[in-house]
Amino acid sequence: MYVEMKHINKNFGDYEAAKDINFGVEQGKMIALLGPSGSGKTTILRMLAGLEQQDSGDVVIEGEVVNDIPPGERGIGFVFQNYALFRYMTVYENIAFGLRVQKQDKKKIHDRVMELVDLVGLNGMEKRYPDQLSGGQRQRVAFARALAPRPQLLLLDEPFAAIDAKVRKELREWLKKMIKKVGITSIFVTHDQEEAVEVADEIIIINEGKLEQKGTPVEIYKKPKTSFVAQFIGTSAVLDDFSGFKGFEDLPKNNQAIVRPEFVEAFKSDNEKFKSLIPAAETGEITKIAFRGSYLELTLSVNGILLKTNRSLERRPVSVGEQMCVLVYRVYILDEEDANIHKNKLLKGVDIEAL
Amino acid sequence: MSKETNHIKAQERVAKEIPPKAEKNQEKKQKGFVPCLLIGISVIFFLIMLVFPLVEVIYRSLKDGFAAYKNAITASNTLSALQVTLIATLIAVAVNTLFGLCAAWLLTKFEFRGKQVLSTLIDIPFSISPVIAGLAYIMTFGRMGWATPLVEWLNDIFGTNISFVFSVPGVVLATIFVTFPFVSRELVPVMQAQGSAEEEAAAMMGAKGLTIFKRVTFPHIRWALLYGMILCCARAFGEFGAVYAVSKARGKTFTLPLEIDALYMAGSADSITQAFAVSSLLVLLAIIILVLKQVVEYRGKREQ
Ligand SMILES: Nc1ncnc2c1ncn2[C@@H]1O[C@H](COP(=O)(O)OP(=O)(O)OP(=O)(O)O)[C@@H](O)[C@H]1O
Ligand SMILES: [Mg+2]
């Protein structure tokens, strides 16, 4: 492990902002810290950087405990949430700051700054001040500034939060490309799961100061370990009781269940493709159809339970009030802590992936 | 039915749209009247409270001719008072700039217990009568004061003969006391608004305290700092009460305001004219300060 947090605890007064946080990051990986607002993501990042001191536990970088090493000597670059660019310095001076602090010689500094300006595509803007730049350009400066002293680890706190949705997508692809190009280990904070899934090699999910799960996006998505993760990831509907549903008759009673849109299939009873699956399906009525841009979101009422599913625009049109066959492939059943996957047992032997 | 109400609403809207011109005119008239009244009140107020008295000062000071004016200003008592005033102001501004910076830094960038108390303590000179401050210094440093043995001991060690009552150092001390909130009061809001993200960014890149202050913090606060220093200066020039309590020797430890008071209290026609002549000196200092303040405010605003 390249960067490790070992049993980190942190209290603000009597508020526990981090509870026994434990994780490691491999060199060269890009990690997302994902969690709802106030869950302690920024606090974890700041403790890694040394801007906040943990109450107990160790921060380890490259095998060395860095608890007592000041922020400037940990070899970390930090991109702040609102960039925190030096307002009274030009783009050039901002990027050069870290190098000037190290008292490198002028020529070297100039070459490095120009290299970075080139890398982030801000040629010709070196003499501008931060307030003469767009949000996206500022982010690029912040990125270049953090990279200038060649840190071993890059931390980014909500790097895209201050940027409007349209540019955000573009910018995160750009950032991912840049980070891969530089080859630096990086950890970024976000509360946008789409962002985390798209950009990160691995996701760490934080809730109320606790680490819920660490894994690749696919793992987190397919095998949520805790009930929080199961509810937090994806567009999940939480149902109070799912036992009695066709194919799920022997589920434990009175446990909450999570059904995601992609776990549900709705088809017309004359559909040839799904004909063989009709015995495993319930009937439901369409109560709502919402247009979501590239697909329709159907809400179906099945025995009083509301289920959502997405329907491709290529398929036959449907209307509100129409009776459909509703097939549920699988559900997550939640107990106190864990989320367990349960498959529709009437589908045993059917190759669902082939459908 | 709903269509009908819609229709009526539309009609209402149309009906409303016709008169706005008249309404607007009325509004304009009202807008014109209120500011005029306010301007009138302020102008009358300023004339009575400020302009007439100031003109009176200049007029009175020149009543006996320019030669008399020059004599009054170059009298040894006046020159001594001017010197004491300038010394006290200079030292007070220097000390309070340093103190104000430290206090503002402490209050905005650190969390500690008793922060609120400190913040309130700094404001004390605003709320306590300066005379009380002066008297308190006499109680502390005077013949009976508890700090006197300490001062004497220090004097013995350094071979000096400094006394803090009825002396120039006492005047300086009193001036420092009445002016110490100004700089920190100007700095605190600016530094609070700035937050500490930029400083943290600098620290992440390995910059140390002094570098961070010089390169990152100072550019943010320089105009507020200068503004605070100017206010501090203005207050120091004009201070009367606190200085009055610790300064008794005319021609030695008197400041300009004390000298003016002494001249005026002497009561003869000549000395009253002299009092006004010396006053005009203070007015001149005040005008210089005002101009400086305007320049600083203007530049500070433009930079933001
Ligand atoms: N300096 C502080 N003093 C007291 N409480 C703090 C401090 N910093 C953070 N907290 C508290 O710790 C908790 C976690 O804060 P943190 O900023 O780490 O959350 P976050 O996950 O980054 O949230 P967001 O997504 O909104 O930025 C919050 O409840 C916050 O109020
Ligand atoms: Mg945060």
Side-chain angles (χ1 to χ4, degrees):
Chain A
M1 286 294 156
Y2 182 65
V3 180
E4 277 177 284
M5 292 198 99
K6 289 185 169 169
H7 304 287
I8 299 275
N9 285 289
K10 172 78 185 172
N11 287 18
F12 290 115
D14 48 15
Y15 181 84
E16 291 179 88
K19 300 172 202 162
D20 196 33
I21 297 286
N22 242 324
F23 67 83
V25 174
E26 281 163 52
Q27 186 147 24
K29 282 265 163 28
M30 192 162 178
I31 308 293
L33 279 178
L34 176 64
S37 185
S39 54
K41 309 178 294 288
T42 300
T43 308
I44 291 174
L45 214 61
R46 289 173 61 85
M47 287 190 292
L48 265 172
L51 294 170
E52 205 84 66
Q53 193 66 39
Q54 67 273 20
D55 298 337
S56 63
D58 291 329
V59 178
V60 181
I61 298 178
E62 249 178 320
E64 187 192 356
V65 177
V66 296
N67 297 350
D68 299 322
I69 296 182
E73 289 161 29
R74 291 190 183 187
I76 292 177
F78 203 114
V79 177
F80 288 80
Q81 187 156 356
N82 292 307
Y83 312 139
L85 294 179
F86 304 128
R87 204 154 28 117
Y88 292 97
M89 296 183 204
T90 59
V91 167
Y92 185 96
E93 290 168 326
N94 262 283
I95 300 174
F97 186 89
L99 305 169
R100 286 182 176 159
V101 166
Q102 293 176 352
K103 304 226 158 52
Q104 296 192 2
D105 74 57
K106 278 222 167 85
K107 173 86 179 63
K108 254 187 169 164
I109 293 179
H110 182 80
D111 291 348
R112 177 70 178 148
V113 173
M114 292 325 280
E115 181 190 338
L116 282 160
V117 165
D118 209 39
L119 178 78
V120 301
L122 286 176
N123 306 69
M125 297 191 186
E126 302 93 322
K127 291 214 174 69
R128 292 213 198 162
Y129 285 89
D131 59 2
Q132 298 167 321
L133 298 175
S134 75
Q137 290 165 340
R138 270 179 227 174
Q139 200 217 25
R140 287 161 192 246
V141 177
F143 181 68
R145 183 180 71 172
L147 286 183
R150 302 184 192 277
Q152 299 301 305
L153 172 66
L154 186 66
L155 305 178
L156 309 102
D157 193 355
E158 309 235 4
F160 311 103
I163 291 169
D164 62 278
K166 225 170 143 190
V167 189
R168 200 181 302 172
K169 227 171 170 150
E170 224 170 84
L171 216 54
R172 77 186 171 217
E173 264 149 42
W174 174 84
L175 192 70
K176 180 165 184 164
K177 217 173 68 203
M178 280 300 133
I179 288 179
K180 291 289 167 203
K181 195 163 157 189
V182 180
I184 189 172
T185 314
S186 59
I187 302 178
F188 74 101
V189 161
T190 177
H191 55 242
D192 179 348
Q193 33 170 308
E194 193 187 318
E195 201 166 289
V197 168
E198 219 164 278
V199 180
D201 299 319
E202 270 190 295
I203 298 177
I204 292 173
I205 299 202
I206 307 288
N207 180 41
E208 292 181 347
K210 272 206 325 266
L211 192 156
E212 295 275 341
Q213 188 171 359
K214 173 173 179 282
T216 64
V218 175
E219 272 168 15
I220 297 249
Y221 194 81
K222 288 223 156 148
K223 293 185 200 120
K225 275 198 187 131
T226 67
S227 51
F228 173 79
V229 176
Q231 289 175 59
F232 186 67
I233 291 288
T235 38
S236 310
V238 182
L239 306 173
D240 283 331
D241 192 3
F242 201 69
S243 59
F245 214 88
K246 232 186 206 176
F248 297 93
E249 288 86 353
D250 47 1
L251 282 185
K253 273 213 180 298
N254 297 324
N255 275 0
Q256 286 192 316
I258 286 183
V259 185
R260 290 186 183 152
E262 58 273 25
F263 297 173
V264 180
E265 183 64 63
F267 53 91
K268 302 193 186 209
S269 52
D270 59 352
N271 189 321
E272 285 297 324
K273 190 171 147 202
F274 290 102
K275 211 169 184 178
S276 62
L277 300 178
I278 288 182
E282 299 260 4
T283 10
E285 186 187 315
I286 300 180
T287 58
K288 203 171 127 197
I289 301 175
F291 181 58
R292 291 276 182 256
S294 52
Y295 60 90
L296 297 176
E297 186 188 82
L298 308 186
T299 308
L300 298 130
S301 167
V302 184
N303 304 335
I305 296 175
L306 291 181
L307 296 175
K308 284 200 163 98
T309 181
N310 299 335
R311 187 176 172 89
S312 158
L313 292 171
E314 306 297 320
R315 293 172 69 174
R316 285 182 285 172
V318 288
S319 55
V320 173
E322 194 174 336
Q323 295 291 324
M324 306 280 283
C325 295
V326 181
L327 178 67
V328 175
Y329 297 121
R330 55 186 181 272
V331 296
Y332 290 131
I333 297 297
L334 309 180
D335 55 27
E336 287 293 300
E337 280 295 312
D338 299 331
N340 301 306
I341 203 157
H342 285 261
K343 294 198 172 130
N344 188 329
K345 63 178 176 19
L346 297 177
L347 290 178
K348 236 176 215 151
V350 181
D351 185 6
I352 298 170
E353 317 282 317
L355 289 173
Chain B
M1 156 89 207
S2 83
K3 253 187 191 168
E4 253 177 36
T5 35
N6 268 348
H7 189 61
I8 290 170
K9 267 186 195 154
Q11 263 187 341
E12 271 176 4
R13 231 175 289 142
V14 173
K16 262 188 196 155
E17 261 161 33
I18 297 168
K21 268 183 197 163
E23 262 174 37
K24 247 187 206 161
N25 272 347
Q26 250 179 0
E27 236 172 69
K28 246 188 202 163
K29 250 183 216 162
Q30 267 187 353
K31 266 186 193 157
F33 176 69
V34 174
C36 273
L37 185 74
L38 292 176
I39 290 172
I41 292 175
S42 337
V43 167
I44 291 171
F45 184 83
F46 279 125
L47 281 178
I48 295 175
M49 301 296 295
L50 278 173
V51 180
F52 290 159
L54 283 182
V55 171
E56 184 72 8
V57 168
I58 308 293
Y59 168 73
R60 290 286 194 111
S61 66
L62 291 167
K63 209 175 65 170
D64 291 350
F66 200 71
Y69 180 80
K70 207 181 141 199
N71 277 342
I73 285 184
T74 51
S76 72
N77 278 352
T78 311
L79 289 179
S80 152
L82 181 64
Q83 195 188 350
V84 173
T85 301
L86 290 179
I87 288 174
T89 302
L90 213 68
I91 298 179
V93 169
V95 169
N96 285 332
T97 301
L98 203 67
F99 168 79
L101 273 171
C102 295
W105 186 267
L106 188 64
L107 284 176
T108 53
K109 312 276 166 176
F110 296 93
E111 286 299 327
F112 57 94
R113 227 185 278 181
K115 186 167 163 171
Q116 201 52 49
V117 178
L118 179 68
S119 166
T120 313
L121 278 181
I122 290 175
D123 281 341
I124 278 185
F126 280 155
S127 51
I128 283 187
S129 163
V131 183
I132 298 176
L135 289 177
Y137 278 127
I138 291 183
M139 289 304 159
T140 314
F141 296 109
R143 250 185 312 152
M144 319 275 281
W146 62 264
T148 310
L150 187 73
V151 174
E152 273 167 7
W153 178 69
L154 285 175
N155 275 336
D156 277 350
I157 290 181
F158 295 107
T160 50
N161 188 20
I162 292 170
S163 155
F164 285 104
V165 285
F166 311 132
S167 66
V168 175
V171 171
V172 172
L173 213 60
T175 310
I176 289 175
F177 176 86
V178 293
T179 54
F180 82 59
F182 286 100
V183 172
S184 64
R185 276 304 133 202
E186 286 303 316
L187 291 183
V188 164
V190 178
M191 289 169 81
Q192 223 145 33
Q194 185 206 350
S196 37
E198 280 183 46
E199 274 99 354
E200 281 179 347
M204 282 307 305
M205 288 182 266
K208 294 283 180 299
L210 206 62
T211 317
I212 295 177
F213 178 78
K214 243 176 29 199
R215 303 276 313 275
V216 179
T217 313
F218 184 70
H220 277 276
I221 61 168
R222 60 185 160 199
W223 294 112
L225 181 67
L226 209 54
Y227 188 65
M229 286 166 73
I230 287 172
L231 289 182
C232 185
C233 225
R235 182 83 168 86
F237 280 149
E239 177 49 28
F240 184 83
V243 180
Y244 183 71
V246 295
S247 169
K248 292 290 178 244
R250 190 169 171 197
K252 284 211 185 84
T253 65
F254 266 27
T255 59
L256 281 177
L258 295 181
E259 179 63 23
I260 293 165
D261 180 62
L263 284 168
Y264 190 78
M265 285 304 166
S268 72
D270 270 0
S271 72
I272 288 180
T273 308
Q274 282 166 9
F276 280 111
V278 179
S279 299
S280 71
L281 262 186
L282 265 188
V283 171
L284 187 73
L285 286 178
I287 289 172
I288 294 173
I289 294 285
L290 268 179
V291 171
L292 273 179
K293 177 174 154 284
Q294 279 306 318
V295 171
V296 168
E297 265 180 356
Y298 174 73
R299 302 241 3 216
K301 257 193 206 127
R302 212 180 44 174
E303 223 166 77
Q304 278 163 13

